[in-house]
Amino acid sequence: MFWGMMISQGSIGAWLLKFFYPKIPFLLTIQEGDREWERNRFWWRLILKEADYVTAISAFLLEKVRKMGYLGKAVVVPNGVDIQKFQNPNLKSRNSKIIITVGRLVYKNGVDILEKALAIVKNKFPDVQLRIVSDAPHEEIPRHLWGADIFVRPSRSEGLGTAFLEAMAAGLPIIGTRVGGIPDFLKDGETGLFAKVDDSKDLAEKIELLFSDEALRQRLIKNGRRLIEEKYQWSQIALKMKNIFTELCAS
């Protein structure tokens, strides 16, 4: 079988080879949720026309595939989390007020909105701190998360938001926005809190709420951790992909 990721050399190569080997199945996996779609609209339509099966990491991306005209088999298979790697070995009550955000310093991640919200929160909680982790090796991320109290990323767009899942696995309550694939796992008041896009005042209010309401904070932590265990473990994701490979190769 052929397996391509996004509009990559591998995907374009599989598209070309399908003309010579039409019976070999072609699986296309969709991972990105920002301007990749607009820049490569021509290639998206061509490659989707030859794909036999599509997996997308979120319902948001699966909908994009359908809007591009793809009518074949397609399912959501999210990215996963190594729970053992991210589980906090020293989880206990904390008196600190440390906000963490993890991700590239790009417009879509809304760090500028978070910094404006921080200035507002400082009026009520002068000891609040913000830690921005943008260039650490992935193996260092769990340690950074364990030293924080809240994970916040006011995204403007998001294919899924794996950094949120890792924060939940590490025992942090999360605050995000209702964009892209985030609603797949963030249920407001249950597994996290939603803030309005590009609204630093609303984001500040949500941060202050988590600093003030320990019962809410603990509920979000508990529910978030349970969700990761039930739906986002890599072993579960691998099994889904194995079943898809088996189905395609058998056909």
Side-chain angles (χ1 to χ4, degrees):
M1 62 173 286
F2 303 126
W3 185 15
M5 298 279 186
M6 298 295 291
I7 303 300
S8 61
Q9 291 177 343
S11 298
I12 294 174
W15 172 75
L16 288 169
L17 287 169
K18 281 289 284 185
F19 289 101
F20 300 99
Y21 305 98
K23 292 184 179 181
I24 296 180
F26 173 25
L27 170 65
L28 180 64
T29 292
I30 313 298
Q31 293 270 345
E32 294 291 335
D34 50 18
R35 285 176 289 180
E36 173 84 17
W37 289 87
E38 295 303 321
R39 289 196 302 264
N40 296 301
R41 182 174 291 272
F42 171 78
W43 278 108
W44 274 120
R45 293 192 182 280
L46 286 182
I47 290 177
L48 285 169
K49 187 176 180 180
E50 294 298 324
D52 298 294
Y53 205 122
V54 169
T55 64
I57 60 172
S58 66
F60 165 72
L61 291 179
L62 193 60
E63 182 181 358
K64 275 186 170 287
V65 169
R66 294 302 190 191
K67 287 181 177 179
M68 281 284 185
Y70 179 74
L71 301 175
K73 286 189 175 182
V75 295
V76 173
V77 181
N79 287 332
V81 178
D82 184 342
I83 289 186
Q84 298 305 316
K85 178 179 179 179
F86 282 89
Q87 186 172 9
N88 191 341
N90 300 305
L91 192 60
K92 58 184 179 180
S93 298
R94 297 167 56 89
N95 296 318
S96 58
K97 292 178 175 58
I98 300 173
I99 302 166
I100 190 170
T101 190
V102 178
R104 295 173 295 150
L105 296 179
V106 293
Y107 179 77
K108 84 172 194 70
N109 286 339
V111 177
D112 56 317
I113 299 299
L114 178 53
E115 290 175 334
K116 292 176 182 177
L118 179 71
I120 299 173
V121 174
K122 278 184 173 292
N123 293 323
K124 186 172 182 178
F125 299 101
D127 57 339
V128 66
Q129 299 177 45
L130 172 60
R131 295 177 181 173
I132 301 173
V133 180
S134 63
D135 57 359
H138 191 256
E139 60 268 19
E140 295 180 3
I141 299 300
R143 177 175 53 82
H144 288 292
L145 293 171
W146 296 338
D149 300 285
I150 299 174
F151 178 91
V152 182
R153 191 152 94 183
S155 309
R156 294 180 170 104
S157 69
E158 203 75 66
L160 174 64
T162 303
F164 290 92
L165 304 179
E166 292 174 346
M168 294 161 79
L172 291 182
I174 61 171
I175 300 177
T177 51
R178 202 182 299 271
V179 300
I182 295 177
D184 281 13
F185 57 81
L186 200 168
K187 307 304 177 186
D188 196 41
E190 296 180 22
T191 58
L193 296 179
F194 276 128
K196 298 176 183 176
V197 178
D198 284 334
D199 191 331
S200 56
K201 183 176 183 296
D202 184 62
L203 179 58
E205 290 175 357
K206 300 300 165 48
I207 293 172
E208 292 172 356
L209 177 60
L210 284 183
F211 283 151
S212 303
D213 190 336
E214 183 61 19
L216 172 62
R217 182 175 177 276
Q218 290 301 325
R219 184 170 74 248
L220 299 185
I221 290 173
K222 180 180 178 181
N223 291 342
R225 173 73 182 185
R226 183 187 300 118
L227 178 66
I228 298 301
E229 292 174 347
E230 293 176 351
K231 188 175 179 180
Y232 292 99
Q233 294 195 58
W234 273 122
S235 57
Q236 298 164 328
I237 308 305
L239 181 58
K240 288 182 180 180
M241 292 305 298
K242 176 185 176 182
N243 291 338
I244 292 171
F245 294 156
T246 300
E247 178 185 343
L248 281 171
C249 290
S251 66

